Structures are given as C-alpha cells and as structure tokens.
Amino acid sequence: MPVARSLRNIGHRVVNAVWRAGFAARFFAMTLLYSGTSFRRFHLVVREMFSSGVMSLIIILVSGMFVGMVLGLQGYETLKRYGSESALGTLVALSLVRELGPVLAALLFASRAGSAMTAEIGLMKATEQISAMEMMAVNPIARVVAPRFWAGVISMPLLSAMFSAMGVFGGYVVGVVLIGVDEGSFWSQMQSAVDFQHDVLNGVIKSFVFGVAVTVIALFEGYDAPPTAEGVSGATTRTVVQSSLAILILDFILTAFMFRGD
Amino acid sequence: MSSQALVEISDVNFAYDSRPILKGINMTFPKGKLIAIMGLSGCGKTTILRHIGGVLRPTRGYVKVDGQVMHELDHDNLYRMRRKMGMLFQFGALFTDMTVYDNVAFQMREHTQLPEEIIHDMVMMKLHAVGLYGTQNLMPAELSGGMARRVALARTIALDPMLIMYDEPFAGLDPISLTVVGQLIRRLNDALGATSIVVTHDVQESLKIVDYIYFVSDGAIIAEGTADDIRASGEAFVHQFVHGEMDGPIPFHYPGGNYKQDLGVRA
Ligand SMILES: Nc1ncnc2c1ncn2[C@@H]1O[C@H](COP(=O)(O)OP(=O)(O)OP(=O)(O)O)[C@@H](O)[C@H]1O
Ligand SMILES: [Mg+2]
C-alpha cells in the first residue's frame, strides 16, 4: 500500500513538525524566563556580542557597501529614464532602511553567527558540557542560552544599521563620485524623504524581530541536536535554511502591516 | 551496612525507550565511605550515576539522597541538592571555551560571592592537589586526555561536595597517575568527610582503595562485598572479572547470532 505509506509519512512529518514547534516555543519561553542572569551579569552578554556580533561585522560592512553600490547603479539607470536622477539618494536610502538593511543583514547574520551558535551549543551538548553544567547546579538555559539570545537580539539592529549606513555610502560613491549625480540633491532629497518613525523605526523593529527569530532558531537547533557529528552538522544546516525562510516570511508579514497604503 | 546512608537506591528500574537498562537495583552508600560500582561496558553504570544526580527518573523505585527522593524534587530543590554533589564525567566534559583556570573557578563564581583573590587561591590549591599547578592558562584542547580528566577532577571538587561521583576516573591514565588519582580519591574522601562513588573497570586499582564494591551485570547487581570478600570470592563471575580471565560466565561477545555461519564457515 504505497499510498497509505506515503500518507502515513506525511502525517508523521506534520506531527513531528508540530511537536518541534511546541518544543521550540517552550524553549523560547524558558529562555525568557531565565534571562535574569544575563542582565545581572551583563558581561556574559557582552562576550557573546563580541563573538557573534563583532565577528559578523566585516561581512556585514562589505556586503552593505556592495549592495549600496549596486543600488546606485541600478537606481540611476531607472531614474534617468524619468529624468529624476536627483532622487537617487532617496531610493538608495529607503530601499536600505526599510528592506535590504534588515533583511540582508539578518540573512548574513544567520549564516555567519547563527550557524556558529548552533554548532557551538550542539558540540557542548555532544561533549556533555551541558550535562556537566546541570550537574553543577547551573542552569544551562540561563548560563549558556540566554546570554547568546540577548547578544543576538541586541546585535541584530546594530548590524543592520551598519549595513544600511555602508549601503548609503556605497550608493553615494557610485551615484555621486563615479556617475556624477548632484551631491547636494542626493543628500537633501534623502534627508527630506526618509521619515524617522515611518522608515527608520520600522526598519529597526524588523531587524529586532529577525534577531529574535534567528537566534531562537539557532539556539534551539543546537540545544535539540542529536549529540553526534552528523546530528550537529544537520542542525547547522537546518538553522541556516529555517532562519532564512523565517526572515523572508516575517519580512512579508511585517511589511504588509507597516507600509500598506502609501 | 550501616544505617547512616547518604544515598539509597531502592528497587530502581529504568528503560531507554522500551529497552530495559536497570532491573531492580538496590544499593546503599553510607556516609564517609568510598564505594565502587563495577561491571562490563554498557551494563548501566553511568545510568545509575545519572539517577543519583536526578538527571534520569526511574520507571519504578526511587533514589534517595540525604533523605530526599531525587525524582520528587522540584527544579530549585534539585539544584540545591546538586550543589552538594560533584560528578566527574566519563570524558571530562571540560568547558572548551574556557581556560583550565576558569573551568576550575566556574562553580565558585556561579555559586559563591567570593572575591577573585580567594577564588584564585582556591583554584591554585585544587590544581596543585591534582598535580597540575602551572597549567592554569592552558585551554582544554591543549591538554592530554589524562590531564583533562585531572582538571575535571579539580573542577568536580571545587566546592568540596559531600557526595562525589567519579565515572571512570582511571581510564586513560598512565600507571603513575593512576595510583596518584586512586590515592587522591581516597584522600579527598577522607579529608572532606565526603562520600564517594567510583564507577570503574579497574579492579586492581579500586580494590586497593575502596570500602565496598557492587558488581553490576546486565542491569542487576550480581555480587557485592568488601575488597577482601571480593578477592576471596568463589563466585565464578567475580573471579573472572577480578582476574581478567577469558573464559567464564561472562561472554565477551555481544549476542549477535551465528558468527561462523555469517562468515560461511561450515561446521
Ligand atoms: N541516551 C541513550 N539512549 C538510548 N540508550 C542509551 C542511552 N545512553 C545509554 N544507553 C544504553 O544504556 C546502556 C547502559 O549505558 P551506560 O552508559 O549506563 O553504560 P556503562 O555501564 O556506563 O558503560 P561504560 O562502561 O562503557 O561507560 C547501554 O547499553 C547503552 O546502549
Ligand atoms: Mg559509562
């Protein structure tokens, strides 16, 4: 009965996915519940911010620069057709602050820092470091997971702001320095068109939400990984795939709520 | 054995999935004693330690530590109980992202408000006790297996626990370190007034230091007694184990069907 078997397979997968989603939600709740230590001993968070945030900085800055340069080129080509090259600054800044900054920075963060988090926690579990911590009466969620979570959540908006800033600079280099768009109108149109609350703040909210999603997925996958080499490597892959999907889906939902009707 | 039991294991049964691992284990660990659990690889020794630590809950029976049933404690009380225990993991389980110093200092920093100078002195004393003074700035990856185990031992006794569990403390040690660690376990037990449980395969070394021995086979206790009882024991299993003989009631092979037939050998 191949039909029955494949139906059963599908059912099994769905049930499994629901179970895992439940575990992940519980894990997230525990992380929040045991976050006290992270704030009482903030140096734990700072250390993790260094290893996940600062280490992602280079790739974020370089990518931001290039994305901004591409935007400058493409934007100029398109705007020129309508004779509105002077709006190039607006186009570059809005695309970055609203969309590309938060989304691309989060995607890069997921593959650079998220995968590393999963691998690190998975290995800690495989080598019984997590069990050892539990036996020492130290809650691993409070000591290992929560500081990484907060480090990710704090780093993400900062990284995305830097991505956008680099992007604007890249757009400036291509648009103004290389192509020769008027510098004054590039900056002044940008300044008048970008609204702090509507554009910048919404971008920050987006990257905050992405930061939560990416770190929760990464930490949960690591914590839940089977304690073997294949287990950890599979979990690392799942982190990148799932957090990329989560970022793009969440981005659509958030955009629909934030920017409809204008 | 005496009534002053620190740990009491009563009729503990446990199964992973539906595969029974422990089948009605009864053990008593009196205060101040050093007791060994011996048995073949895979017989469930580590599983017993995990029950004492409250990591696993038995499907039947209970484990009492200091008068409290472990699997009935809530999170806070369980953690309070674990502060009084130390466990040396089979593979050390050192925190790989911290130096030797920070590993040994870990519990002192987590559980006490001691100033860093006192922690420093305590760490140096613990490292000195395991013969590794001078390694404090190394990372775990820079240690040999035996050194890592001794650092783990220093970390285990960091806060002078009342119950110390050692999972294979002798594995991978050279003969000198082996004697040193054996003596150390005995001395720590007596100096701290602690109770110690040593899980080991090393019959000769443990017969020298322990007060009492349990033999576990296939999830059940098949022999017990003091070191002298065990040495003198006429029981075939114990005799085979103590003298490391090939032939005896313990099969070396996993019950895996007909090997000869698999190789195509005709009888
Ligand atoms: N997480 C687990 N899931 C399923 N089975 C397990 C698990 N851990 C251990 N087992 C099984 O339980 C049995 C007992 O394991 P345990 O680790 O207690 O053995 P042990 O006596 O400590 O052996 P060793 O001397 O080799 O360390 C083994 O047969 C093992 O296959
Ligand atoms: Mg074991």
Side-chain angles (χ1 to χ4, degrees):
Chain A
M1 291 295 275
V3 180
R5 200 176 317 127
S6 58
L7 270 180
R8 200 164 61 214
N9 254 335
I10 294 171
H12 182 70
R13 274 164 177 253
V14 170
V15 170
N16 250 352
V18 173
W19 268 106
R20 274 179 69 80
F23 282 133
R26 180 164 173 271
F27 178 80
F28 182 37
M30 299 286 269
T31 307
L32 294 181
L33 187 66
Y34 291 119
S35 286
T37 315
S38 304
F39 292 100
R40 253 176 285 122
R41 296 161 64 191
F42 200 69
H43 66 272
L44 294 174
V45 177
V46 172
R47 220 182 83 148
E48 299 308 328
M49 278 173 77
F50 179 77
S51 69
S52 62
V54 179
M55 295 305 179
S56 319
L57 197 55
I58 298 287
I59 184 175
I60 294 264
L61 292 181
V62 172
S63 311
M65 178 85 190
F66 278 100
V67 167
M69 283 161 59
V70 169
L71 274 178
L73 282 175
Q74 294 278 16
Y76 179 78
E77 287 299 317
T78 312
L79 290 173
K80 196 174 63 177
R81 286 189 220 162
Y82 308 100
S84 46
E85 301 96 308
S86 55
L88 185 63
T90 310
L91 179 113
V92 168
L94 282 184
S95 332
L96 281 165
V97 170
R98 283 181 171 191
E99 280 302 328
L100 296 176
V103 170
L104 292 181
L107 289 174
L108 292 169
F109 184 77
S111 45
R112 173 67 179 79
S115 59
M117 265 184 211
T118 304
E120 193 186 10
I121 296 201
L123 277 177
M124 285 184 83
K125 194 179 152 198
T127 54
E128 293 194 307
Q129 296 178 47
I130 300 280
S131 312
M133 207 173 266
E134 275 183 331
M135 275 307 300
M136 289 182 219
V138 175
N139 188 327
I141 302 265
R143 183 61 175 71
V144 175
V145 173
R148 284 170 172 76
F149 171 75
W150 288 107
V153 170
I154 296 170
S155 304
M156 196 63 264
L158 298 175
L159 288 171
S160 112
M162 288 188 221
F163 185 98
S164 299
M166 266 327 259
V168 168
F169 177 67
Y172 167 82
V173 168
V174 166
V176 176
V177 178
L178 297 183
I179 299 178
V181 173
D182 179 56
E183 180 163 5
S185 56
F186 181 89
W187 291 118
S188 66
Q189 290 222 8
M190 185 191 300
Q191 247 177 7
S192 57
V194 178
D195 176 58
F196 179 75
Q197 189 167 359
H198 192 244
D199 301 312
V200 177
L201 201 63
N202 277 338
V204 171
I205 292 174
K206 273 188 178 180
S207 59
F208 175 79
V209 173
F210 298 159
V212 172
V214 171
T215 42
V216 167
I217 290 172
L219 294 169
F220 176 70
E221 284 294 344
Y223 208 76
D224 192 52
T228 58
E230 311 91 80
V232 174
S233 78
T236 312
T237 312
R238 276 201 302 280
T239 291
V240 176
V241 173
Q242 288 178 6
S243 37
S244 305
L245 278 177
I247 290 163
L248 296 173
I249 293 170
L250 282 171
D251 184 46
F252 173 73
I253 296 172
L254 289 172
T255 308
F257 278 104
M258 287 170 172
F259 299 107
R260 67 188 156 173
D262 55 50
Chain B
M1 298 178 85
S2 97
S3 57
Q4 267 283 49
L6 182 66
V7 181
E8 195 190 332
I9 300 181
S10 174
D11 188 32
V12 163
N13 285 259
F14 179 76
Y16 271 118
D17 301 320
S18 55
R19 196 170 123 236
I21 305 291
L22 300 182
K23 304 162 188 165
I25 298 273
N26 288 292
M27 292 179 173
T28 322
F29 302 90
K31 281 206 174 104
K33 297 288 187 207
L34 171 48
I35 288 154
I37 301 175
M38 288 189 202
L40 296 183
S41 193
C43 69
K45 304 181 295 293
T46 302
T47 310
I48 295 175
L49 292 190
R50 286 187 197 282
H51 277 86
I52 300 174
V55 181
L56 298 174
R57 58 170 34 234
T59 45
R60 206 177 76 209
Y62 63 85
V63 175
K64 256 190 193 171
V65 179
D66 210 14
Q68 312 239 32
V69 175
M70 287 307 279
H71 69 261
E72 284 171 1
L73 295 177
D74 61 15
H75 178 275
D76 288 352
N77 282 316
L78 180 63
Y79 271 39
R80 207 160 293 139
M81 184 63 86
R82 282 183 184 164
R83 283 191 195 197
K84 299 187 250 174
M85 301 180 179
M87 172 130 148
L88 178 69
F89 278 74
Q90 193 161 359
F91 303 104
L94 290 177
F95 301 128
T96 42
D97 58 338
M98 300 180 195
T99 61
V100 165
Y101 181 98
D102 290 332
N103 263 285
V104 180
F106 184 78
Q107 289 186 85
M108 305 174 189
R109 290 184 181 143
E110 294 292 325
H111 293 319
T112 70
Q113 306 292 328
L114 295 172
E116 198 58 38
E117 304 89 74
I118 294 186
I119 289 183
H120 174 270
D121 293 352
M122 284 169 68
V123 171
M124 291 308 152
M125 277 157 58
K126 301 295 177 192
L127 281 177
H128 184 256
V130 297
L132 287 176
Y133 176 76
T135 60
Q136 54 272 17
N137 295 322
L138 298 179
M139 294 304 283
E142 298 168 314
L143 301 173
S144 77
M147 286 163 83
R149 197 181 309 269
R150 284 192 279 162
V151 172
L153 178 53
R155 185 182 67 176
T156 306
I157 55 167
L159 289 182
D160 301 343
M162 68 172 184
L163 171 66
I164 316 179
M165 292 178 270
Y166 303 91
D167 199 349
E168 308 280 1
F170 303 126
L173 294 182
D174 60 78
I176 298 174
S177 312
L178 194 124
T179 313
V180 170
V181 169
Q183 294 305 319
L184 187 63
I185 288 174
R186 180 78 242 185
R187 264 193 294 125
L188 282 172
N189 187 72
D190 299 345
L192 300 177
T195 306
S196 310
I197 305 174
V198 182
V199 160
T200 177
H201 300 125
D202 200 307
V203 191
Q204 299 311 328
E205 190 55 40
S206 39
L207 281 179
K208 281 189 253 168
I209 55 168
V210 303
D211 298 313
Y212 201 82
I213 298 167
Y214 287 100
F215 273 98
V216 176
S217 174
D218 196 21
I221 296 172
I222 53 162
E224 58 182 283
T226 62
D228 292 333
D229 296 345
I230 294 297
R231 275 199 208 93
S233 171
E235 232 170 303
F237 171 88
V238 177
H239 193 82
Q240 185 192 359
F241 202 94
V242 171
H243 298 280
E245 288 159 359
M246 280 283 282
D247 294 316
I250 313 169
F252 168 68
H253 292 289
Y254 186 85
N258 194 332
Y259 169 69
K260 284 199 176 142
Q261 194 179 340
D262 202 22
L263 292 186
V265 177
R266 250 157 294 208

